[in-house]
Amino acid sequence: MIRAATVTSNAHGVDRLNIKPYHVFSVEGHGYLVKLLSNRVYPIAQDEEYALRLFLEKGEPLDERLAEKYGLIGGEADYETGRKRRWDQIFAVRKIYCLELMMAQECNLRCTYCYGDGQFGGRGIMSEETVLAAIDWFLSSIEGETYPPGSEPSISFFGGEPLLNYAMIKRAIEYLHDERGRKDITFSITTNLTLLTDEMLAFFKSRRVSLLISFDGRMQRLYRRYASGADSYETVSQNIRKALSVLPASCGRGTLYGEGDMEQMTDDLLQIGFRYGYINGASGSLISGTVLKDKQDWYRVLVATYPEKTRRYLNAIKERDEEAYRRLSFDQEFMNAVGRGWNPSRNMLSCGGGRTMVAVDVKGDIYPCHRFVGVKEMRMGSICTPFDQLHTGEFADHVSFHQERCRDCFLRFTCGGSCMHESYCDVGMPDEAPTIHRTFDTFCQYRRLCAELAIHTERMLNAQDRAWLRGIRAKPGASEEKA
């Protein structure tokens, strides 16, 4: 059971104590206090939780000794100051880590739930001129920058189906490695794998290219069919087995939609041979003009299931059950939101789109990420525009500057909002303009729950548990590290 309450502005008790904003909650009988501006977390006794909750909910007097124990007495920066301070801390360092190259803005499949609808903002194949110019732009953008281990610059070949343009993928990698001498940059390809050949596989192995393979298990037959309507399951299944025999750390990527089931899809990915992978709910479509319809129901399901999933996650760690842990790690949203623990700075941004990551389309235009390609309002510039001169627009701002509901939330200094693409899709009322800063009730409820479960999870782990987790996550291809 989870209980929570928040004081959202300075309040005064009977002794005229100036109490700093805080949030108090409990999970499975464990109480926690969060100081909102500093994000410091304290485990608290049951009687302390009771007293802190009474002060919040009923205005009961708060014992001065308890307030002093947790540093709750004294002035606190106001909402605007605290919010701006947090945002300045995050946005002060803006540099690019990842370049997404839209190698082919078309696809040989017509997946039911695809946000690109087979076209991705206008059909086209990236030319050699654009590929090489985009790489040169990327190299100039990262020149002189330093990157921590594990966060090296990377290039992701995307689409559509990028293997429709395999020749230019090969040319790009050879250009970077052989002509520019940059072997520190990592490569990945997100592919439906229908077009895989032995030649491609040998090249990917020789150049250490990571594969992210889209596959929905038994739902493949229903939702991931060829443009002709033909079944893609057998071809993709055979190619997955072939790829895993050469690149065993390849990652599977499943999409839940319609009749899809998380546990069933996890079984299917494991059975075909994936050791690493993740599964997400389908997103809304921008390019086809449809409005996000199912995502709120998706978050309701997550809110209902995450407390039990958190118990299973902690049990897997405590019992050193690697297989149970691996199964849970296929749920990417859970691992990112709960399994990786409480990290206020990481959660301040919904993602790196437009800040640490950009996508280049077949014409050389730059967008915040692959999902926005073709949305003219989201165009940031082109590969002729220096990185620090890209038009950031709404991406230079933060959701909490636009949503009144953020003011009273205990995550107001740490939450980056939902996926910007999903926010843009969820247009709300017919006369509302699209914005990346929209929020909705079910997501906010989900994010608050995840923060509380993440804090609880982190507090339940001891040094031995953490050492075991580091060993699991250090293994090549660990799915939550690819997210």
Side-chain angles (χ1 to χ4, degrees):
M1 183 180 71
I2 299 175
R3 299 186 303 163
T6 308
V7 58
T8 57
S9 60
N10 288 346
H12 297 273
V14 291
D15 293 323
R16 304 172 65 92
L17 300 177
N18 193 6
I19 302 299
K20 299 178 181 179
Y22 67 85
H23 177 69
V24 62
F25 68 98
S26 64
V27 180
E28 301 288 338
H30 298 271
Y32 302 96
L33 166 71
V34 184
K35 293 170 65 176
L36 301 195
L37 187 61
S38 67
N39 290 309
R40 293 194 65 179
V41 178
Y42 303 87
I44 56 177
Q46 187 174 16
D47 61 331
E48 293 176 325
E49 181 201 348
Y50 182 71
L52 290 164
R53 189 180 296 276
L54 281 179
F55 175 74
L56 297 180
E57 297 175 349
K58 298 183 178 181
E60 295 285 340
L62 183 62
D63 189 303
E64 185 172 352
R65 290 169 298 178
L66 178 59
E68 287 179 341
K69 178 180 179 179
Y70 294 110
L72 296 176
I73 300 175
E76 180 89 353
D78 63 21
Y79 174 68
E80 296 298 332
T81 302
R83 182 175 62 171
K84 186 175 187 306
R85 180 192 304 174
R86 274 289 171 199
W87 183 234
D88 288 346
Q89 289 172 351
I90 297 297
F91 206 71
V93 179
R94 179 173 175 262
K95 62 182 178 182
I96 187 169
Y97 283 78
C98 178
L99 175 68
E100 294 183 320
L101 293 178
M102 300 293 290
M103 303 306 296
Q105 285 174 217
E106 50 192 73
C107 188
N108 58 337
L109 297 186
R110 290 296 183 272
C111 302
T112 306
Y113 50 72
C114 182
Y115 59 84
D117 201 28
Q119 301 182 64
F120 305 91
R123 306 179 74 92
I125 298 291
M126 190 173 285
S127 67
E128 179 177 7
E129 178 183 8
T130 302
V131 169
L132 300 187
I135 290 173
D136 288 338
W137 177 89
F138 184 54
L139 293 179
S140 67
S141 298
I142 65 175
E143 184 177 1
E145 298 283 6
T146 58
Y147 296 86
S151 299
E152 293 81 4
S154 65
I155 293 178
S156 175
F157 298 106
F158 219 91
E161 174 45 49
L163 294 186
L164 287 168
N165 198 8
Y166 168 69
M168 286 303 103
I169 293 177
K170 186 171 184 287
R171 177 73 179 101
I173 295 172
E174 290 175 338
Y175 177 69
L176 261 168
H177 279 179
D178 304 337
E179 297 179 38
R180 299 299 302 266
R182 293 300 299 263
K183 296 189 176 181
D184 57 318
I185 295 173
T186 61
F187 300 100
S188 66
I189 301 175
T190 299
T191 171
N192 62 38
L193 216 65
T194 55
L195 303 173
L196 184 71
T197 66
D198 292 340
E199 176 195 346
M200 293 178 187
L201 200 51
F203 179 76
F204 297 152
K205 181 178 181 181
S206 69
R207 301 295 178 136
R208 301 181 60 132
V209 178
S210 299
L211 295 183
L212 179 57
I213 302 168
S214 298
F215 180 66
D216 290 353
R218 68 195 74 183
M219 293 293 104
Q220 183 88 7
R221 299 185 186 278
L222 191 59
Y223 300 126
R224 298 183 60 84
R225 304 183 74 86
Y226 284 103
S228 66
D231 187 352
S232 66
Y233 180 87
E234 294 301 333
T235 297
V236 175
S237 297
Q238 291 172 11
N239 285 343
I240 287 174
R241 295 185 181 96
K242 180 191 297 185
L244 291 174
S245 70
V246 177
L247 299 171
S250 295
C251 186
R253 200 281 189 205
T255 300
L256 284 177
Y257 178 80
E259 298 177 19
D261 174 80
M262 175 68 74
E263 295 302 321
Q264 184 182 83
M265 193 171 290
T266 300
D267 287 338
D268 291 345
L269 293 178
L270 287 168
Q271 186 173 11
I272 204 167
F274 286 114
R275 285 286 292 161
Y276 313 106
Y278 61 86
I279 299 169
N280 268 349
S283 176
S285 172
L286 280 179
I287 305 304
S288 65
T290 62
V291 178
L292 185 67
K293 296 178 180 178
D294 301 324
K295 205 64 179 184
Q296 297 208 39
D297 286 338
W298 169 252
Y299 285 119
R300 290 187 186 98
V301 170
L302 300 188
V303 168
T305 58
Y306 271 18
E308 172 59 26
K309 185 162 284 190
T310 300
R311 285 191 285 270
R312 290 165 51 199
Y313 177 75
L314 287 170
N315 287 339
I317 296 171
K318 296 294 184 181
E319 295 172 9
R320 307 295 187 258
D321 188 339
E322 183 172 344
E323 285 305 310
Y325 176 86
R326 289 295 183 202
R327 284 189 64 85
L328 289 165
S329 74
F330 275 66
D331 186 341
Q332 184 196 24
E333 292 199 51
F334 174 80
M335 294 304 295
N336 283 343
V338 178
R340 291 170 67 185
W342 171 244
N343 186 329
S345 295
R346 183 183 68 227
N347 295 332
M348 185 64 181
L349 301 176
S350 61
C351 74
R355 301 178 180 103
T356 61
M357 171 186 73
V358 296
V360 176
D361 76 356
V362 295
K363 297 179 293 186
D365 288 333
I366 294 177
Y367 295 86
C369 76
H370 58 276
R371 292 184 173 183
F372 282 115
V373 166
V375 182
K376 62 181 181 180
E377 294 83 2
M378 291 292 123
R379 182 182 178 275
M380 302 178 70
S382 75
I383 50 179
C384 297
T385 311
F387 177 67
D388 60 2
Q389 295 179 26
L390 290 176
H391 175 65
T392 55
E394 288 188 291
F395 294 89
D397 213 336
H398 190 261
V399 62
S400 65
F401 282 65
H402 297 265
Q403 295 295 329
E404 187 64 26
R405 74 173 68 197
C406 296
R407 180 180 295 273
D408 293 329
C409 178
F410 88 94
L411 296 178
R412 59 180 178 259
F413 300 130
T414 64
C415 176
S418 62
C419 166
M420 293 178 284
H421 169 267
E422 291 175 4
S423 296
Y424 200 85
C425 287
D426 187 24
V427 295
M429 301 300 293
D431 59 344
E432 285 187 288
T435 173
I436 65 172
H437 295 312
R438 193 179 312 283
T439 59
F440 47 94
D441 291 338
T442 51
F443 175 80
C444 294
Q445 182 184 3
Y446 160 78
R447 180 54 66 87
R448 289 191 292 267
L449 173 69
C450 287
E452 292 173 350
L453 293 175
I455 289 170
H456 173 67
T457 297
E458 195 167 83
R459 290 287 173 169
M460 291 295 100
L461 301 180
N462 58 35
Q464 292 76 25
D465 298 332
R466 296 178 194 281
W468 183 79
L469 270 178
R470 284 194 296 271
I472 294 295
R473 292 172 176 173
K475 294 183 179 181
S479 62
E480 66 269 22
E481 300 305 318
K482 287 180 174 285

